[in-house]
Amino acid sequence: MNPRPVPEQNPAQPDVVLVVDFGAQYAQLIARRVREAHIYSEIVPHSVTAKELAKRKPAALIFSGGPKSVHIEGSPRIDPEIYKLNIPILGICYGAQLIAHNLGGEVSHTGIGEYGRTPITLHTSSTLFSVPDAPNSAQRQVWMSHFDSITNPPKGFVVTASTPQAPVAAFENTQNQIFGVQFHPEVAHTPQGQQMLEQFLYKGAGLTPSWTTKSFIATATQQIRNQIGQGRAVCGLSGGVDSAVAAALVHKAVGSQLTCVFVDTGLMRLGEGEQVVEAFRRSQGIDLIALDAAERFFEALRGITEPETKRKIIGELFVRVFEEAASKISGADFLVQGTLYPDVIESGSKSAAKIKSHHNVGGIPDEMSLSLVEPLRDLFKDEVRAVGTELGLPEEIVWRHPFPGPGLGVRIIGEVTPEKTKLLAKADAIVTAEIKAAGLERKVWQTFAVLPDIRTVGVMGDERTYGHLVVIRAVTSEDAMTADWARLPHELLEKMSSRIIGEIEGINRVAYDITSKPPGTIEWE
Ligand code: XMP
């Protein structure tokens, strides 16, 4: 998104821009956009105090949008002392309204909101809109989503843009480095939104872009060395990108002090086991214990059909097998986990209902009393991929679609057997190969096959068949919290379907899942 050349320095303490979350859908997206501008960013709740911020010393603040009106009692507020800290601030949507409200401007419920693509008119030259290669007109397209409007800016602020419905669509006080926009520069529907954010960061707040994959790796390896010292670390590999990158990073930092454990549950994707051994033991030279535990998993799953019971059985057996392997590594002190930043943020929210019990390769094992090493806990998925690429991991691992801990076990509906697993692994490999061949692998979040517990009648070569149904699932998503079913081209679906039926004996019908999340989940169980 941002091809800007950046310096190669390694700042020990990178500048941090804190995104203050007022309950926005988009807080994570804002943080990602700031990072795309090569400035490190994290999210903090709006309950953060001025005292806490003064200690943390952020280089700038961005107030996110939020679902509420500043006039509603109980709507999210901010410690007003924060305005006295002289930290540059950008308010977005609700964040802008709150700045106006707090500093003596006026926010009104005009009865006319704006939603979606909206043209704004610029009034004067302004920091945010002076983007390189800006259109030669006073009009800009932006994405709006608000029902209250700022009708008067605070004293000392200049109105820089408006629409007929929003008299103050943007305002700024360059002396105090405080800016507000009613629209959402962080979403892709605001065509120059990223540049506007960069104007705030580079010009408004005077920051230098310096947070890069290389600088992250340099800082992270040093931190890992400090943490592990002369100790021994163990890491469970799943074949997925997160544990793979975590292992490669820790290996770069402490070399042979790391041993990886790969448990082949028999529920992996086709060829995944060999690929992991090849990538880690042979190419990266990482000490790797690979265990084939497929029979134990199939035995434990015999006759089991209830999804949560399956998940529990797979999760518990995994822990047991992992422990057996790890106990052979004498004196392990540290457990490496591929925890990502979204997991860190989400584990902070307590109110979510449990939909299914996730099992992660990292979710191991209480009794081992190992200290955790989580070198990716500040990163988003796309950043993890960039680190993996920089560390030389093969593309097939770096760009693999996410795969659930219980593997194909939760994509086979009903009883899991070795025969069904073989059928599904083959169908899944065809779906994966075809999405790759169509150049869409990186455009969709996940594509895979599901084997429901259904057989249907068909006709092949004038003969009646009674075979399995395979369902293709493909979704687009930013973070797996919500997802949309992917509008794959019909020709591609047709190719997948005819290959699956033509090449895999026992399957005679293919369907496509057109359910988004919500109301569905991405996986079927
Ligand atoms: P759902 O099905 O809940 O999945 O919409 C959201 C994302 O999480 C993945 N997933 C898992 N990942 N352990 C994991 O590490 C699990 O037990 C698990 N279950 C689902 C799923 O593939 C999707 O990306």
Side-chain angles (χ1 to χ4, degrees):
M1 187 152 192
N2 177 32
R4 178 185 308 275
V6 290
E8 291 296 338
Q9 84 250 33
N10 167 23
Q13 283 293 323
D15 283 330
V16 59
V17 171
L18 294 180
V19 177
V20 181
D21 185 1
F22 290 98
Q25 283 170 300
Y26 293 136
Q28 285 199 32
L29 187 57
I30 299 169
R32 289 173 59 163
R33 296 288 181 248
V34 175
R35 291 171 181 214
E36 281 168 21
H38 298 293
I39 290 165
Y40 181 61
S41 179
E42 282 182 23
I43 299 163
V44 291
H46 65 87
S47 54
V48 68
T49 62
K51 238 183 173 172
E52 287 163 340
L53 285 187
K55 253 200 221 150
R56 184 80 202 265
K57 293 197 180 70
L61 298 174
I62 299 184
F63 290 1
S64 81
K68 298 246 166 89
S69 159
V70 293
H71 297 300
I72 293 175
E73 212 187 313
S75 61
R77 303 284 148 166
I78 189 86
D79 178 353
E81 295 296 311
I82 283 174
Y83 295 108
K84 298 183 187 154
L85 295 175
N86 287 326
I87 303 171
I89 303 175
L90 169 66
I92 294 177
C93 195
Y94 179 86
Q97 294 175 0
L98 193 66
I99 292 173
H101 184 68
N102 287 157
L103 300 183
E106 199 179 359
V107 181
S108 311
H109 191 61
T110 58
I112 316 168
E114 288 172 307
Y115 302 93
R117 225 175 279 271
T118 310
I120 56 168
T121 304
L122 309 188
H123 289 202
T124 57
S125 75
S126 78
T127 308
L128 295 192
F129 300 118
S130 303
V131 304
D133 34 276
N136 198 9
S137 90
Q139 296 267 303
R140 297 287 183 280
Q141 286 294 328
V142 300
W143 185 263
M144 290 281 195
S145 180
H146 67 108
F147 47 91
D148 280 0
S149 293
I150 304 166
T151 40
N152 261 314
K155 216 165 141 222
F157 281 73
V158 178
V159 178
T160 55
S162 64
T163 74
Q165 271 74 43
V168 186
F171 60 96
E172 65 187 35
N173 178 330
T174 46
Q175 202 172 359
N176 294 337
Q177 299 168 297
I178 299 181
F179 303 79
V181 289
Q182 183 57 72
F183 58 88
H184 289 272
E186 71 277 23
V187 304
H189 309 290
T190 297
Q192 291 192 308
Q194 178 69 17
Q195 287 110 303
M196 292 173 194
L197 278 177
E198 290 177 4
Q199 282 298 111
F200 166 69
L201 298 167
Y202 305 153
K203 299 286 168 11
L207 301 177
T208 310
S210 60
W211 197 72
T212 63
T213 304
K214 279 201 174 90
S215 72
F216 168 80
I217 292 173
T219 313
T221 43
Q222 195 48 53
Q223 281 167 348
I224 294 165
R225 275 184 210 124
N226 293 346
Q227 188 185 357
I228 295 182
Q230 297 307 311
R232 289 205 60 79
V234 48
C235 177
L237 287 176
S238 67
V241 58
D242 305 340
S243 60
V245 175
L249 195 56
V250 172
H251 183 249
K252 183 176 168 68
V254 298
S256 60
Q257 286 164 261
L258 171 73
T259 302
C260 289
V261 175
F262 173 64
V263 177
D264 189 342
T265 59
L267 304 167
M268 321 293 290
R269 288 168 279 199
L270 201 69
E272 194 156 14
E274 298 87 70
Q275 203 177 45
V276 167
V277 172
E278 173 64 36
F280 287 88
R281 189 181 284 157
R282 300 204 191 100
S283 303
Q284 296 253 337
I286 294 180
D287 185 21
L288 174 72
I289 300 174
L291 289 175
D292 180 358
E295 260 178 45
R296 290 175 69 177
F297 279 86
F298 287 124
E299 184 54 40
L301 288 167
R302 194 194 299 251
I304 308 294
T305 56
E306 203 280 317
E308 274 300 294
T309 314
K310 279 198 225 170
R311 280 182 169 267
K312 217 161 156 256
I313 289 173
I314 298 170
E316 283 175 7
L317 183 54
F318 187 92
V319 170
R320 228 173 304 137
V321 178
F322 182 88
E323 276 181 322
E324 285 165 21
S327 66
K328 294 189 189 119
I329 305 163
S330 59
D333 322 276
F334 295 92
L335 179 69
V336 179
Q337 289 192 341
T339 317
L340 303 194
Y341 189 50
D343 308 330
V344 175
I345 310 172
E346 267 140 37
S347 59
S349 76
K350 296 169 193 80
S351 55
K354 181 168 144 189
I355 310 296
K356 42 181 105 161
S357 46
H358 274 211
H359 137 63
N360 292 313
V361 165
I364 356 178
D366 288 347
E367 314 79 58
M368 287 180 70
S369 68
L370 298 170
S371 308
L372 287 186
V373 180
E374 296 179 306
L376 310 178
R377 60 181 287 123
D378 289 336
L379 301 188
F380 289 108
K381 192 96 177 178
D382 43 354
E383 296 170 326
V384 170
R385 290 201 161 112
V387 170
T389 304
E390 183 71 33
L391 291 172
L393 287 176
E395 218 177 276
E396 304 84 73
I397 287 189
V398 169
W399 282 99
R400 280 218 130 158
H401 284 170
F403 191 60
L408 301 182
V410 291
R411 293 179 181 171
I412 294 169
I413 314 308
E415 188 185 11
V416 179
T417 65
E419 296 71 36
K420 285 188 195 168
T421 309
K422 243 182 242 153
L423 284 184
L424 182 59
K426 282 188 193 161
D428 184 74
I430 291 175
V431 169
T432 308
E434 288 303 327
I435 201 90
K436 228 187 216 175
L440 294 176
E441 188 191 25
R442 298 184 188 189
K443 297 217 170 89
V444 293
W445 172 267
Q446 261 173 300
T447 333
F448 55 87
V450 178
L451 191 73
D453 201 8
I454 295 175
R455 287 185 186 216
T456 73
V457 174
V459 52
M460 286 165 85
D462 296 332
E463 293 276 341
R464 178 187 193 271
T465 60
Y466 186 54
H468 285 280
L469 164 72
V470 157
V471 177
I472 298 170
R473 179 88 167 126
V475 295
T476 55
S477 176
E478 284 267 353
D479 52 12
M481 299 298 289
T482 59
D484 197 5
W485 61 275
R487 272 57 172 177
L488 295 186
H490 289 177
E491 302 70 35
L492 174 59
L493 289 170
E494 187 180 11
K495 183 120 193 260
M496 289 174 175
S497 165
S498 55
R499 275 198 63 193
I500 290 171
I501 294 171
E503 294 175 29
I504 309 170
E505 205 186 320
I507 297 175
N508 69 349
R509 192 177 292 266
V510 173
Y512 188 49
D513 182 352
I514 53 167
T515 319
S516 293
K517 173 184 178 177
T521 53
I522 295 177
E523 304 290 346
W524 272 38
E525 286 192 338

mmCIF file of all heavy atoms in Angstrom, residues 262-293:
data_model
loop_
_atom_site.group_PDB
_atom_site.id
_atom_site.type_symbol
_atom_site.label_atom_id
_atom_site.label_comp_id
_atom_site.label_asym_id
_atom_site.label_seq_id
_atom_site.Cartn_x
_atom_site.Cartn_y
_atom_site.Cartn_z
ATOM 1 N N PHE A 262 6.770 -31.114 16.215
ATOM 2 C CA PHE A 262 5.664 -31.146 15.271
ATOM 3 C C PHE A 262 4.884 -32.437 15.492
ATOM 4 O O PHE A 262 5.415 -33.526 15.334
ATOM 5 C CB PHE A 262 6.181 -31.082 13.832
ATOM 6 C CG PHE A 262 5.098 -31.284 12.817
ATOM 7 C CD1 PHE A 262 4.056 -30.371 12.697
ATOM 8 C CD2 PHE A 262 5.096 -32.407 11.992
ATOM 9 C CE1 PHE A 262 3.041 -30.563 11.776
ATOM 10 C CE2 PHE A 262 4.080 -32.606 11.067
ATOM 11 C CZ PHE A 262 3.061 -31.678 10.961
ATOM 12 N N VAL A 263 3.627 -32.296 15.891
ATOM 13 C CA VAL A 263 2.774 -33.458 16.109
ATOM 14 C C VAL A 263 1.888 -33.625 14.888
ATOM 15 O O VAL A 263 1.058 -32.753 14.601
ATOM 16 C CB VAL A 263 1.888 -33.262 17.365
ATOM 17 C CG1 VAL A 263 0.941 -34.441 17.545
ATOM 18 C CG2 VAL A 263 2.746 -33.066 18.604
ATOM 19 N N ASP A 264 2.070 -34.704 14.160
ATOM 20 C CA ASP A 264 1.183 -34.973 13.029
ATOM 21 C C ASP A 264 -0.034 -35.709 13.565
ATOM 22 O O ASP A 264 0.044 -36.868 13.965
ATOM 23 C CB ASP A 264 1.916 -35.808 11.973
ATOM 24 C CG ASP A 264 1.086 -35.915 10.702
ATOM 25 O OD1 ASP A 264 -0.149 -35.657 10.768
ATOM 26 O OD2 ASP A 264 1.649 -36.255 9.650
ATOM 27 N N THR A 265 -1.157 -34.993 13.587
ATOM 28 C CA THR A 265 -2.386 -35.555 14.168
ATOM 29 C C THR A 265 -3.113 -36.453 13.171
ATOM 30 O O THR A 265 -4.128 -37.052 13.502
ATOM 31 C CB THR A 265 -3.354 -34.410 14.547
ATOM 32 O OG1 THR A 265 -3.627 -33.665 13.342
ATOM 33 C CG2 THR A 265 -2.755 -33.491 15.580
ATOM 34 N N GLY A 266 -2.634 -36.479 11.926
ATOM 35 C CA GLY A 266 -3.350 -37.211 10.882
ATOM 36 C C GLY A 266 -4.489 -36.368 10.323
ATOM 37 O O GLY A 266 -5.181 -36.774 9.399
ATOM 38 N N LEU A 267 -4.681 -35.183 10.918
ATOM 39 C CA LEU A 267 -5.793 -34.317 10.501
ATOM 40 C C LEU A 267 -5.264 -33.063 9.812
ATOM 41 O O LEU A 267 -5.903 -32.026 9.800
ATOM 42 C CB LEU A 267 -6.625 -33.937 11.733
ATOM 43 C CG LEU A 267 -7.154 -35.121 12.542
ATOM 44 C CD1 LEU A 267 -7.692 -34.670 13.895
ATOM 45 C CD2 LEU A 267 -8.241 -35.855 11.765
ATOM 46 N N MET A 268 -4.042 -33.174 9.270
ATOM 47 C CA MET A 268 -3.402 -32.026 8.636
ATOM 48 C C MET A 268 -3.785 -31.972 7.156
ATOM 49 O O MET A 268 -4.335 -32.907 6.609
ATOM 50 C CB MET A 268 -1.870 -32.118 8.712
ATOM 51 C CG MET A 268 -1.294 -32.654 10.002
ATOM 52 S SD MET A 268 -1.551 -31.574 11.400
ATOM 53 C CE MET A 268 -0.458 -30.253 10.970
ATOM 54 N N ARG A 269 -3.396 -30.877 6.513
ATOM 55 C CA ARG A 269 -3.613 -30.772 5.069
ATOM 56 C C ARG A 269 -2.659 -31.721 4.340
ATOM 57 O O ARG A 269 -1.653 -32.160 4.913
ATOM 58 C CB ARG A 269 -3.378 -29.324 4.623
ATOM 59 C CG ARG A 269 -4.489 -28.413 5.096
ATOM 60 C CD ARG A 269 -4.155 -26.956 4.942
ATOM 61 N NE ARG A 269 -3.312 -26.469 6.022
ATOM 62 C CZ ARG A 269 -3.177 -25.176 6.329
ATOM 63 N NH1 ARG A 269 -3.829 -24.250 5.644
ATOM 64 N NH2 ARG A 269 -2.401 -24.787 7.323
ATOM 65 N N LEU A 270 -2.965 -32.001 3.077
ATOM 66 C CA LEU A 270 -2.181 -32.970 2.310
ATOM 67 C C LEU A 270 -0.709 -32.535 2.229
ATOM 68 O O LEU A 270 -0.411 -31.410 1.825
ATOM 69 C CB LEU A 270 -2.764 -33.061 0.887
ATOM 70 C CG LEU A 270 -2.442 -34.327 0.112
ATOM 71 C CD1 LEU A 270 -3.158 -35.530 0.712
ATOM 72 C CD2 LEU A 270 -2.826 -34.167 -1.354
ATOM 73 N N GLY A 271 0.181 -33.408 2.609
ATOM 74 C CA GLY A 271 1.617 -33.143 2.485
ATOM 75 C C GLY A 271 2.162 -32.161 3.498
ATOM 76 O O GLY A 271 3.335 -31.788 3.450
ATOM 77 N N GLU A 272 1.322 -31.751 4.476
ATOM 78 C CA GLU A 272 1.746 -30.698 5.399
ATOM 79 C C GLU A 272 2.897 -31.149 6.294
ATOM 80 O O GLU A 272 3.839 -30.401 6.544
ATOM 81 C CB GLU A 272 0.543 -30.274 6.261
ATOM 82 C CG GLU A 272 0.771 -28.993 6.997
ATOM 83 C CD GLU A 272 -0.546 -28.290 7.348
ATOM 84 O OE1 GLU A 272 -1.610 -28.925 7.242
ATOM 85 O OE2 GLU A 272 -0.498 -27.122 7.714
ATOM 86 N N GLY A 273 2.804 -32.403 6.754
ATOM 87 C CA GLY A 273 3.844 -32.924 7.647
ATOM 88 C C GLY A 273 5.217 -32.869 6.995
ATOM 89 O O GLY A 273 6.168 -32.324 7.560
ATOM 90 N N GLU A 274 5.302 -33.404 5.768
ATOM 91 C CA GLU A 274 6.602 -33.434 5.080
ATOM 92 C C GLU A 274 7.100 -32.014 4.825
ATOM 93 O O GLU A 274 8.295 -31.733 4.905
ATOM 94 C CB GLU A 274 6.517 -34.140 3.713
ATOM 95 C CG GLU A 274 6.108 -35.603 3.757
ATOM 96 C CD GLU A 274 4.609 -35.772 3.746
ATOM 97 O OE1 GLU A 274 3.997 -35.509 2.703
ATOM 98 O OE2 GLU A 274 4.031 -36.155 4.787
ATOM 99 N N GLN A 275 6.139 -31.140 4.525
ATOM 100 C CA GLN A 275 6.539 -29.766 4.214
ATOM 101 C C GLN A 275 7.175 -29.083 5.435
ATOM 102 O O GLN A 275 8.165 -28.369 5.307
ATOM 103 C CB GLN A 275 5.306 -28.993 3.786
ATOM 104 C CG GLN A 275 5.641 -27.798 2.949
ATOM 105 C CD GLN A 275 4.375 -27.111 2.495
ATOM 106 O OE1 GLN A 275 3.450 -26.914 3.281
ATOM 107 N NE2 GLN A 275 4.327 -26.748 1.246
ATOM 108 N N VAL A 276 6.597 -29.344 6.595
ATOM 109 C CA VAL A 276 7.130 -28.738 7.814
ATOM 110 C C VAL A 276 8.542 -29.268 8.079
ATOM 111 O O VAL A 276 9.473 -28.514 8.366
ATOM 112 C CB VAL A 276 6.192 -29.033 9.015
ATOM 113 C CG1 VAL A 276 6.862 -28.689 10.334
ATOM 114 C CG2 VAL A 276 4.901 -28.252 8.863
ATOM 115 N N VAL A 277 8.704 -30.587 7.948
ATOM 116 C CA VAL A 277 10.020 -31.189 8.189
ATOM 117 C C VAL A 277 11.037 -30.611 7.205
ATOM 118 O O VAL A 277 12.149 -30.218 7.579
ATOM 119 C CB VAL A 277 9.941 -32.728 8.047
ATOM 120 C CG1 VAL A 277 11.330 -33.342 8.095
ATOM 121 C CG2 VAL A 277 9.070 -33.290 9.156
ATOM 122 N N GLU A 278 10.627 -30.500 5.944
ATOM 123 C CA GLU A 278 11.521 -29.977 4.908
ATOM 124 C C GLU A 278 11.921 -28.527 5.232
ATOM 125 O O GLU A 278 13.097 -28.179 5.227
ATOM 126 C CB GLU A 278 10.785 -30.050 3.548
ATOM 127 C CG GLU A 278 11.483 -29.392 2.381
ATOM 128 C CD GLU A 278 12.809 -30.059 2.045
ATOM 129 O OE1 GLU A 278 12.897 -31.288 2.178
ATOM 130 O OE2 GLU A 278 13.744 -29.319 1.675
ATOM 131 N N ALA A 279 10.909 -27.713 5.534
ATOM 132 C CA ALA A 279 11.175 -26.284 5.717
ATOM 133 C C ALA A 279 12.011 -26.013 6.956
ATOM 134 O O ALA A 279 12.890 -25.157 6.945
ATOM 135 C CB ALA A 279 9.862 -25.514 5.804
ATOM 136 N N PHE A 280 11.759 -26.765 8.028
ATOM 137 C CA PHE A 280 12.431 -26.414 9.286
ATOM 138 C C PHE A 280 13.715 -27.201 9.517
ATOM 139 O O PHE A 280 14.755 -26.625 9.783
ATOM 140 C CB PHE A 280 11.463 -26.565 10.464
ATOM 141 C CG PHE A 280 10.469 -25.453 10.457
ATOM 142 C CD1 PHE A 280 9.289 -25.559 9.740
ATOM 143 C CD2 PHE A 280 10.754 -24.268 11.092
ATOM 144 C CE1 PHE A 280 8.398 -24.519 9.673
ATOM 145 C CE2 PHE A 280 9.867 -23.210 11.033
ATOM 146 C CZ PHE A 280 8.685 -23.335 10.320
ATOM 147 N N ARG A 281 13.621 -28.546 9.384
ATOM 148 C CA ARG A 281 14.813 -29.338 9.699
ATOM 149 C C ARG A 281 15.847 -29.155 8.596
ATOM 150 O O ARG A 281 16.990 -28.830 8.855
ATOM 151 C CB ARG A 281 14.437 -30.803 9.835
ATOM 152 C CG ARG A 281 15.589 -31.637 10.362
ATOM 153 C CD ARG A 281 15.199 -33.090 10.454
ATOM 154 N NE ARG A 281 14.332 -33.379 11.579
ATOM 155 C CZ ARG A 281 13.509 -34.441 11.630
ATOM 156 N NH1 ARG A 281 13.426 -35.270 10.604
ATOM 157 N NH2 ARG A 281 12.765 -34.663 12.685
ATOM 158 N N ARG A 282 15.402 -29.315 7.327
ATOM 159 C CA ARG A 282 16.395 -29.323 6.247
ATOM 160 C C ARG A 282 16.808 -27.915 5.855
ATOM 161 O O ARG A 282 17.984 -27.602 5.826
ATOM 162 C CB ARG A 282 15.849 -30.083 5.040
ATOM 163 C CG ARG A 282 15.545 -31.513 5.443
ATOM 164 C CD ARG A 282 15.550 -32.518 4.340
ATOM 165 N NE ARG A 282 14.974 -33.752 4.886
ATOM 166 C CZ ARG A 282 13.732 -34.152 4.715
ATOM 167 N NH1 ARG A 282 12.906 -33.463 3.950
ATOM 168 N NH2 ARG A 282 13.283 -35.242 5.283
ATOM 169 N N SER A 283 15.833 -27.034 5.579
ATOM 170 C CA SER A 283 16.222 -25.715 5.053
ATOM 171 C C SER A 283 16.740 -24.779 6.135
ATOM 172 O O SER A 283 17.744 -24.116 5.967
ATOM 173 C CB SER A 283 15.049 -25.044 4.353
ATOM 174 O OG SER A 283 14.590 -25.870 3.336
ATOM 175 N N GLN A 284 16.029 -24.722 7.269
ATOM 176 C CA GLN A 284 16.435 -23.740 8.283
ATOM 177 C C GLN A 284 17.418 -24.334 9.295
ATOM 178 O O GLN A 284 17.954 -23.614 10.127
ATOM 179 C CB GLN A 284 15.196 -23.208 9.022
ATOM 180 C CG GLN A 284 14.233 -22.427 8.155
ATOM 181 C CD GLN A 284 14.270 -20.925 8.437
ATOM 182 O OE1 GLN A 284 14.668 -20.468 9.501
ATOM 183 N NE2 GLN A 284 13.878 -20.133 7.462
ATOM 184 N N GLY A 285 17.579 -25.655 9.254
ATOM 185 C CA GLY A 285 18.521 -26.294 10.181
ATOM 186 C C GLY A 285 18.058 -26.238 11.625
ATOM 187 O O GLY A 285 18.857 -26.199 12.557
ATOM 188 N N ILE A 286 16.741 -26.252 11.811
ATOM 189 C CA ILE A 286 16.204 -26.178 13.182
ATOM 190 C C ILE A 286 16.064 -27.591 13.744
ATOM 191 O O ILE A 286 15.639 -28.510 13.045
ATOM 192 C CB ILE A 286 14.831 -25.462 13.178
ATOM 193 C CG1 ILE A 286 15.023 -23.985 12.774
ATOM 194 C CG2 ILE A 286 14.153 -25.560 14.537
ATOM 195 C CD1 ILE A 286 13.747 -23.176 12.734
ATOM 196 N N ASP A 287 16.440 -27.745 15.011
ATOM 197 C CA ASP A 287 16.297 -29.023 15.687
ATOM 198 C C ASP A 287 14.796 -29.335 15.793
ATOM 199 O O ASP A 287 14.048 -28.567 16.397
ATOM 200 C CB ASP A 287 16.922 -28.865 17.085
ATOM 201 C CG ASP A 287 16.935 -30.162 17.838
ATOM 202 O OD1 ASP A 287 16.844 -31.221 17.192
ATOM 203 O OD2 ASP A 287 17.018 -30.112 19.086
ATOM 204 N N LEU A 288 14.362 -30.454 15.185
ATOM 205 C CA LEU A 288 12.918 -30.717 15.092
ATOM 206 C C LEU A 288 12.589 -32.151 15.481
ATOM 207 O O LEU A 288 13.171 -33.097 14.949
ATOM 208 C CB LEU A 288 12.461 -30.469 13.642
ATOM 209 C CG LEU A 288 11.021 -30.823 13.319
ATOM 210 C CD1 LEU A 288 10.073 -29.812 13.952
ATOM 211 C CD2 LEU A 288 10.795 -30.844 11.811
ATOM 212 N N ILE A 289 11.655 -32.298 16.409
ATOM 213 C CA ILE A 289 11.142 -33.630 16.734
ATOM 214 C C ILE A 289 9.786 -33.758 16.050
ATOM 215 O O ILE A 289 8.872 -32.976 16.337
ATOM 216 C CB ILE A 289 10.955 -33.794 18.265
ATOM 217 C CG1 ILE A 289 12.296 -33.601 18.975
ATOM 218 C CG2 ILE A 289 10.332 -35.133 18.589
ATOM 219 C CD1 ILE A 289 12.173 -33.606 20.498
ATOM 220 N N ALA A 290 9.654 -34.698 15.095
ATOM 221 C CA ALA A 290 8.374 -34.877 14.400
ATOM 222 C C ALA A 290 7.760 -36.202 14.848
ATOM 223 O O ALA A 290 8.419 -37.238 14.820
ATOM 224 C CB ALA A 290 8.596 -34.872 12.894
ATOM 225 N N LEU A 291 6.516 -36.145 15.281
ATOM 226 C CA LEU A 291 5.853 -37.351 15.790
ATOM 227 C C LEU A 291 4.624 -37.670 14.964
ATOM 228 O O LEU A 291 3.786 -36.795 14.748
ATOM 229 C CB LEU A 291 5.376 -37.102 17.221
ATOM 230 C CG LEU A 291 6.441 -37.006 18.289
ATOM 231 C CD1 LEU A 291 5.794 -36.642 19.604
ATOM 232 C CD2 LEU A 291 7.148 -38.351 18.397
ATOM 233 N N ASP A 292 4.496 -38.904 14.525
ATOM 234 C CA ASP A 292 3.301 -39.309 13.801
ATOM 235 C C ASP A 292 2.331 -39.915 14.811
ATOM 236 O O ASP A 292 2.532 -41.037 15.273
ATOM 237 C CB ASP A 292 3.676 -40.327 12.714
ATOM 238 C CG ASP A 292 2.449 -40.776 11.943
ATOM 239 O OD1 ASP A 292 1.330 -40.330 12.287
ATOM 240 O OD2 ASP A 292 2.606 -41.564 10.996
ATOM 241 N N ALA A 293 1.308 -39.161 15.159
ATOM 242 C CA ALA A 293 0.373 -39.625 16.182
ATOM 243 C C ALA A 293 -1.011 -39.886 15.578
ATOM 244 O O ALA A 293 -2.007 -39.964 16.304
ATOM 245 C CB ALA A 293 0.280 -38.592 17.298
#
